[in-house]
């Protein structure tokens, strides 16, 4: 079965998160994702609130920008969420948009080196291990979490380029594909990361009378889907057929009814996706 999710976008004001989270939780949706785009909402704070307001739906954070977050702090926050809300947290990390990292004074000269060091340390800390490392960027001295997760938890990583995708296949537990990868792109990611690693793909979706116009404004490349539930479900099935285990349908930033979008995905698209 293909898992299906949707996104609370950082273009939406924080106060509408609760309505979207509760709508997702009351429905057949598997996942609700929050982002940590600079300089909008905190991914961890948003995820914690969404988890507290809900009982069933999984909440994903995509992506925590690793230059901006010390790995020990990220491990503490992730472990706390996993202890409070077992089996409902999906953690994603990535390079972060380099211009934003520069604005925040956190840009590094080798994002690939940082991401590999970070993934190795983060996964070890979440396993409850004591970690000492003196890397180029990640430096820890006998760090061990007092309250690690009670069982192993996956860490996803995301990226665009082939080098980053090879790294996610080697060093992460799953891969987050950038939004609006066409089917051929998802197929190439599957070939890169191997046959067993979970892949989460994202797809812009618009529906309603002005769907095509809103999609064209939001996604100039044209990769996305505008239309009714069957049109959207067909696009989801195509991504699943080429290797996506989860498809996250994301509204555009100008979506006029974000809560209604959640209900559209849950009530109309979900029944059409096996």
């Amino acid at each position: 079965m293909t898992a299906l999710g949707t996104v609370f976008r950082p273009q939406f004001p924080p106060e509408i998160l609760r309505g979207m989270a509760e709508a997702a939780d009351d429905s057949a949706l598997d996942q609700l994702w929050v982002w940590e785009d600079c300089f909008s909402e905190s991914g961890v704070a948003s995820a914690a609130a969404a988890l507290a307001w809900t009982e069933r739906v999984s909440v994903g954070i995509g992506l925590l920008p690793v230059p901006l977050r010390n790995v020990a702090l990220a491990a503490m926050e992730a472990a706390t969420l996993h202890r409070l809300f077992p089996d409902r947290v999906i953690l994603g990390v990535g390079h972060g948009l380099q211009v934003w990292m520069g604005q925040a004074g956190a840009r590094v000269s080798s994002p690939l080196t940082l991401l590999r060091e970070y993934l190795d340390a983060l996964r070890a800390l979440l396993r409850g291990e004591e970690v000492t490392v003196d890397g180029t960027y990640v430096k820890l001295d006998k760090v061990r979490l007092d309250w690690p997760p009670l069982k192993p938890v996956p860490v996803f990583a995301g990226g665009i380029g082939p080098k980053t995708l090879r790294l996610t296949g080697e060093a992460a537990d799953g891969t987050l594909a950038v939004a609006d990868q066409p089917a051929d792109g998802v197929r190439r990611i599957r070939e890169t990361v191997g046959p067993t690693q979970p892949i989460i793909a994202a797809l812009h979706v618009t529906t309603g009378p002005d769907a095509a116009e809103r999609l064209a404004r939001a996604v100039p490349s044209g990769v996305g889907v505008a239309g009714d539930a069957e049109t959207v479900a067909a696009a989801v099935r195509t991504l699943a057929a080429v290797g996506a285990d989860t498809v996250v349908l994301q509204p555009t930033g100008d979506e006029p009814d974000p809560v209604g979008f959640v209900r559209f995905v849950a009530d109309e698209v979900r029944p059409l996706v096996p």
Side-chain angles (χ1 to χ4, degrees):
M1 178 177 173
T2 304
L4 200 62
T6 190
V7 178
F8 168 79
R9 293 183 61 110
Q11 290 84 7
F12 301 154
E15 53 268 23
I16 73 167
L17 172 58
R18 183 167 190 163
M20 292 185 68
E22 291 177 343
D25 199 50
D26 291 340
S27 71
L29 279 187
D30 303 290
Q31 299 173 8
L32 173 72
W33 283 78
V34 298
W35 293 353
E36 186 159 88
D37 277 6
C38 298
F39 297 93
S40 298
E41 296 98 350
S42 157
V44 173
S46 297
L51 288 160
W53 288 325
T54 57
E55 296 181 358
R56 180 200 58 81
V57 70
S58 294
V59 176
I61 308 173
L63 297 164
L64 293 181
V66 300
L68 200 59
R69 285 186 169 273
N70 178 279
V71 69
L73 175 62
M76 291 163 58
E77 291 180 322
T80 300
L81 289 177
H82 277 285
R83 296 284 294 232
L84 290 171
F85 308 101
D87 302 318
R88 293 182 55 211
V89 183
I90 308 169
L91 178 66
V93 300
H95 297 309
L97 194 63
Q98 294 307 295
V99 65
W100 288 339
M101 298 303 98
Q103 285 181 272
R107 187 167 182 167
V108 299
S109 58
S110 178
L112 281 170
T113 300
L114 170 57
L115 185 58
R116 182 177 290 276
E117 292 180 355
Y118 199 100
L119 283 167
D120 290 345
L122 179 60
R123 293 172 73 204
L125 288 167
L126 292 175
R127 290 193 297 266
E129 299 174 13
E130 180 180 278
V131 180
T132 295
V133 61
D134 186 19
T136 302
Y137 300 107
V138 175
K139 300 179 185 294
L140 299 172
D141 182 15
K142 298 180 180 179
V143 175
R144 185 196 299 270
L145 297 178
D146 289 343
W147 300 102
L150 293 172
K151 58 184 178 181
V153 297
V155 176
F156 283 73
I160 300 173
K163 291 181 180 179
T164 299
L165 292 170
R166 284 196 294 272
L167 173 58
T168 69
E170 296 167 2
D173 298 300
T175 295
L176 283 164
V178 66
D180 302 324
Q181 280 283 351
D184 285 347
V186 174
R187 183 184 290 110
R188 286 193 293 271
I189 292 171
R190 171 55 69 202
E191 293 168 353
T192 300
V193 303
T196 60
Q197 187 178 91
I199 294 175
I200 299 173
L203 185 66
H204 270 106
V205 168
T206 53
T207 191
D210 60 346
E213 292 81 1
R214 288 195 293 112
L215 184 67
R217 287 197 301 269
V219 191
S221 68
V223 181
V225 58
D228 60 11
E230 177 51 46
T231 303
V232 175
V236 173
R237 294 193 296 264
T238 296
L239 293 178
V242 296
D245 302 284
T246 298
V247 179
V248 178
L249 304 182
Q250 53 187 57
T252 55
D254 63 354
E255 166 59 50
D257 183 6
V259 175
F261 181 87
V262 174
R263 296 195 178 109
F264 165 73
V265 175
D267 298 341
E268 299 185 43
V269 179
R270 171 78 273 181
L272 303 175
V273 176

